[in-house]
Amino acid sequence: MIQDESEHIFRNHPSVIAGHILTGAIALFVMFFAILSDQTKGYSVIEILAVIVLILVAVAVLSYFYWKRTFYIFEVNEIHVTRSAIWKMDKHIQYTRLASVGVRRSIVDRIFGTSTLTFNVNSSMNATAAEATLVLKKDMADRLRNQLNELVFQKQNTVQDDMEVDTLIHVSNGDVIIHAILGQPTYQALFGLAMLFYAVVMVFVDNSGGLITALILLVISEVMPFVSVILRYYNYRIYRVGDTVTVEGGLITTRRSSFKVNKINSVRMREPLLARLFHRSMLEAEVVGMADDDSRIPLLCPLKNRDDVRRVMFQLVPEFVFEAESEHQPRRALIPMVITDTVFAVIVIGICVALLFTAETYLAGMSEMWTAVVRASEILAAIVVPLIIYGHSGMAQKHRTFDMGEDSFLFVYGGYDICTEYINYDKVQSVAVTAGPLQRAFGVAKCEIRLMSSMGFKEITSGLFEPDDLEMVGDTVMARIRDGRYDYRKYY
């Protein structure tokens, strides 16, 4: 259908108009109740409802106008999206630039029997949003996706065939819940605990304003991400057919995304501190054009047993991983780290003590209990802050490693949260080996890698190693360009 010389023109299903009206109605009714609760306003309920109805009618007319004048033309070599409305658009998306063609089904899609096709481009521009979306009846969307997969990814399997392929690793919904709890970064978990503690304190001091603020921050930092992860990865499946990887999942809104292995820039096995305590890790990939409106890095495996994740990694992306004989960070690297930590700890403790001393002065004469609590907090800060700072360097010294393979190299970095990342030489944008005065004095340096990622440009920093060893990364990148091992055509 797409390979011949004729053009095939599509228009979004009319359900997009209903979706816009529904979104506008929800926003307007929230505003309606906010205005209604404010007794200083002199508007009647009927007047407000009349305004809401007029606005919804305007939204419906505008949505219809845009729907009527927006077309998707599937030509021989590209997708041509054109719109001749108030704001005109003329967009050309070459098939060779597509990173993936995804399928998303929201509640509106299920009601109207439609599917939303998302066209993601292999570019750092608008990395977290699809370049274009097209809503069609489900059967028509499946047929179009099958043809695009065959054309772009040389994938012969249809959507129905994909549903029968076994997942590479069984991920139960219980695993998804565990992933939502333990998979968050340590700093996020600590912030959630701090907000919970703050909320409890506000209850005891009878400060409703502080309590509401703490609860809002707790919901934003902990509850919403927890629910979002469960909704996104429920019924998770991942499989590889040929050189194409497909990821599926979702509870309310289901998603199916496929991408070629040659579009992957790096593969990362991430182990947050809480997950490491249970010998669990997760597998992520940097695939430019794969992050969507949820702004998430593609997840190749939720939290599972570390050995199971390594097995999946070697089965799923053998082109990236290798049996490493890693070089550990030398012991002398710990000395500049400890000196830096000492300066940082003194500054942080000084700030904490100053804040707590101010609080103690404010509470003087008001409550002996709260004065004692503040003094105990000063002592706790003086003990805990150095332990956290020095503990991070100790963990980093234990885990940081570096190794080079034939087509990729390995950085293990982090402190409490450990990342084991395999990076493709050919996807590196820049390499910088740097050393500060303290690091130079002890003969170590760090390597900073820049490459395109799912969320835009990303910088990865190694531990402290011999400068000559780290400079081999940049030398290898340039050597692959000179001797022809790097061939841009194999990444299209």
Side-chain angles (χ1 to χ4, degrees), residues 201-248:
V201 171
M202 291 302 100
V203 170
F204 281 101
V205 300
D206 196 24
N207 186 332
S208 59
L211 174 62
I212 293 174
T213 301
L215 290 177
I216 291 175
L217 292 175
L218 180 63
V219 168
I220 293 174
S221 65
E222 292 291 326
V223 178
M224 290 178 63
F226 173 79
V227 174
S228 175
V229 167
I230 294 176
L231 294 179
R232 182 179 181 83
Y233 298 120
Y234 206 80
N235 296 327
Y236 183 89
R237 294 179 69 239
I238 184 167
Y239 48 90
R240 175 173 174 171
V241 178
D243 62 351
T244 301
V245 176
T246 301
V247 181
E248 299 178 2

Side-chain angles (χ1 to χ4, degrees), residues 17 60-70 83-86:
I17 301 174
V61 171
L62 190 62
S63 297
Y64 175 81
F65 181 68
Y66 270 83
W67 168 81
K68 189 72 173 177
R69 302 180 73 88
T70 303
R83 177 191 299 140
S84 55
I86 300 174

Side-chain angles (χ1 to χ4, degrees), residues 256-274:
R256 181 188 297 111
S257 298
S258 298
F259 55 91
K260 295 183 72 172
V261 173
N262 64 6
K263 299 295 186 181
I264 300 175
N265 292 353
S266 71
V267 177
R268 176 173 54 253
M269 192 166 73
R270 188 163 65 86
E271 302 174 80
L273 178 62
L274 289 175

